[in-house]
Amino acid sequence: MPLNSTAFSHPPSFLLVGIPGLEKEQFWIAFPFCIMYAIAVLGNITLLLIIKAETSLQEPMYLFLAMLAFTDLVLSTSMLPKMLGIFWLGSGEIGFLSCLAQLFFIHTFSSVESGVLMAMALDRYIAICCPLRHSCILSVPVVVALGSLVLVRGVVLVSPFCFLLCRMPFCQHHVISHSYCEHMAVVKLACGDTRVNVIYGLFVAFIVIGSDMILISVSYTMILRVVMRLSSTEARLKAFSTCTSHVCVILAFYVPALFTFLTHRFGQSIPPHVHIMVANLYLLVPPMLNPVVYGARTRKLWDRVV
């Protein structure tokens, strides 16, 4: 039968099952997820409003934080409302194009979040290692340009995912063993040759996560070298305190991201419900944690809140 026949075309819709193996518990699992989403929305909107209203916060650190807050809002909103519909209402059906749109936003803004975290590490490096030139190197136009480049990178790298999936035959396979439309979860339904999709997925992961983590590691290695040379213990503690919140956010984002990425390809022995739970928390914990961590540890923001 030719590949362009109905039997090999993509289905009009997919069925998201939620968390495989925990279908009976999904109704209750949705409640903490909903609370986390509410905290993420409230916290990130509060950050955006404070940074916009206070002219004294128009600095690179806070501009990057505003980008991070906006990214977190898009990420969590792209997946949680549909997920709650699955868990509470059993409405797991999602149209093919809607699935691709969700996939596009989730992967694009995951890439953007990684890029913003890398830019924030660069900001901390310049602020600690070159404090006198910080405002000259990272002026507002430069910060805006970095944010734009990060967004363009995400769009350019993720768009081929959608085009490749549109060309794939699915043989009427339509049940996605996931809570949202994730690239590899959809690729696994295809009945054609998926090597291009898999190879390109690895390429994107290496370009985004690999390069960003390398730059973050180099930045903090240089920061550590400079800080350890400071003669004053108080100055060292202040420098470490400045970077602590950022390191916490980095770990909360990259640890589950790497776990999810590696499990899709090499973790066949890991139970599906563990993988999907981590994948869900990967898109919920950082958006919830970021405003809490930065709001509590950044004095200027905390003063505006209280």
Side-chain angles (χ1 to χ4, degrees):
M1 190 176 295
L3 289 180
N4 61 358
S5 67
T6 304
F8 284 90
S9 63
H10 60 71
S13 63
F14 290 115
L15 183 66
L16 293 164
V17 302
I19 305 176
L22 296 179
E23 288 83 1
K24 294 182 180 179
E25 292 81 8
Q26 287 179 169
F27 180 85
W28 303 107
I29 293 173
F31 285 98
F33 280 7
C34 187
I35 293 172
M36 293 167 68
Y37 177 64
I39 295 172
V41 171
L42 180 62
N44 285 295
I45 288 178
T46 301
L47 278 182
L48 287 171
L49 292 176
I50 291 173
I51 293 171
K52 181 181 179 182
E54 294 291 336
T55 55
S56 63
L57 298 180
Q58 306 300 313
E59 303 173 5
M61 175 182 173
Y62 300 105
L63 293 176
F64 285 132
L65 183 55
M67 296 177 193
L68 190 66
F70 177 77
T71 302
D72 285 337
L73 285 172
V74 176
L75 260 182
S76 54
T77 303
S78 296
M79 51 82 74
L80 196 87
K82 180 60 182 177
M83 189 187 299
L84 293 180
I86 299 170
F87 291 178
W88 281 339
L89 305 175
S91 58
E93 186 174 2
I94 183 171
F96 181 80
L97 294 180
S98 298
C99 183
L100 291 187
Q102 186 185 56
L103 182 153
F104 173 80
F105 278 101
I106 287 174
H107 287 288
T108 295
F109 281 89
S110 293
S111 169
V112 171
E113 177 134 354
S114 178
V116 173
L117 290 175
M118 180 268 294
M120 293 175 77
L122 177 64
D123 170 64
R124 291 300 84 208
Y125 164 72
I126 296 173
I128 292 175
C129 300
C130 310
L132 299 180
R133 301 174 57 196
H134 181 248
S135 58
C136 298
I137 297 174
L138 283 181
S139 60
V140 173
V142 172
V143 171
V144 173
L146 280 173
S148 301
L149 285 174
V150 165
L151 178 60
V152 170
R153 181 189 71 169
V155 171
V156 170
L157 289 176
V158 174
S159 294
F161 285 159
C162 302
F163 294 123
L164 289 171
L165 287 172
C166 282
R167 297 170 59 87
M168 293 297 299
F170 286 90
C171 308
Q172 299 305 309
H173 299 159
H174 69 286
V175 179
I176 301 177
S177 298
H178 212 299
S179 302
Y180 55 86
C181 290
E182 196 269 344
H183 175 242
M184 285 304 299
V186 178
V187 167
K188 287 179 179 179
L189 299 183
C191 56
D193 188 354
T194 61
R195 283 179 296 179
V196 174
N197 303 68
V198 173
I199 292 172
Y200 184 71
L202 289 170
F203 168 75
V204 171
F206 176 78
I207 291 295
V208 175
I209 297 179
S211 62
D212 289 352
M213 287 186 67
I214 289 171
L215 290 172
I216 289 171
S217 300
V218 170
S219 296
Y220 275 96
T221 300
M222 299 296 292
I223 289 172
L224 186 62
R225 289 179 60 187
V226 171
V227 170
M228 294 307 295
R229 291 174 184 171
L230 296 175
S231 57
S232 170
T233 303
E234 183 180 351
R236 285 200 298 268
L237 291 175
K238 184 178 179 180
F240 280 127
S241 177
T242 303
C243 300
T244 300
S245 55
H246 191 217
V247 172
C248 292
V249 169
I250 288 171
L251 292 175
F253 177 77
Y254 283 111
V255 170
L258 288 172
F259 177 86
T260 302
F261 171 76
L262 295 173
T263 301
H264 259 310
R265 290 158 176 84
F266 313 109
Q268 287 77 15
S269 61
I270 296 176
H273 64 274
V274 174
H275 174 206
I276 304 305
M277 281 291 291
V278 174
N280 292 339
L281 293 173
Y282 157 59
L283 297 183
L284 279 175
V285 171
M288 176 194 70
L289 191 65
N290 292 348
V292 175
V293 170
Y294 282 110
R297 294 196 58 84
T298 306
R299 186 178 182 85
K300 284 187 178 181
L301 288 175
W302 181 251
D303 290 342
R304 301 307 186 279
V305 174
V306 299

